[in-house]
Amino acid sequence: SRRQRQMCIRDRVEQGVVNFGSEVSILDIDMDEVNTFKIVGSTESNILEGKLSNESPLGMAILKKRVGETVTVEAPDGNFDFRILDIR
C-alpha cells in the first residue's frame, strides 16, 4: 500500500537531519522570528502554506543539517542566518 511505501522510505531516511518531507522549525536570527516549514518539491512549494522547496536557497542550505546547526543563505540583499530548532 501507499502508506507502507511511505513508512519504508521514512525508515531509510537518516534520522535527526533535515530531509525531503521533514517539517523543520527554524529561527531567523536577524529577525528573531521562528518559522516552521515542510520540505517539499518545487512543484508543491507554497511559502504561504509553510511548504518550502528543497531547491530554494534556504531549502538547499538546511538539507542534511541537524538541530542546533546554523546556516547562512546568500541573497541579493545580503546574507541571512538561520538556526535549526526542531526537525519532525
Side-chain angles (χ1 to χ4, degrees):
S1 74
R2 182 172 184 219
R3 181 166 168 74
Q4 286 174 323
R5 281 197 309 270
Q6 287 174 333
M7 289 172 62
C8 289
I9 290 169
R10 247 186 231 133
D11 289 343
R12 285 195 303 254
V13 169
E14 188 179 349
Q15 296 299 307
V17 298
V18 178
N19 286 292
F20 187 86
S22 295
E23 192 171 287
V24 186
S25 295
I26 57 172
L27 170 67
D28 180 329
I29 294 171
D30 302 313
M31 301 293 288
D32 194 32
E33 186 176 282
V34 175
N35 290 293
T36 301
F37 299 105
K38 182 171 182 168
I39 307 301
V40 298
S42 58
T43 57
E44 295 177 72
S45 68
N46 183 330
I47 206 73
L48 297 176
E49 293 178 5
K51 296 178 181 176
L52 181 68
S53 170
N54 63 325
E55 297 175 12
S56 69
L58 178 57
M60 289 189 294
I62 64 175
L63 279 175
K64 304 297 179 195
K65 300 293 190 251
R66 297 180 181 280
V67 169
E69 287 193 65
T70 301
V71 298
T72 300
V73 176
E74 294 180 27
D77 49 345
N79 292 343
F80 299 92
D81 297 317
F82 299 90
R83 181 171 300 122
I84 298 169
L85 301 178
D86 189 39
I87 304 168
R88 293 178 294 290

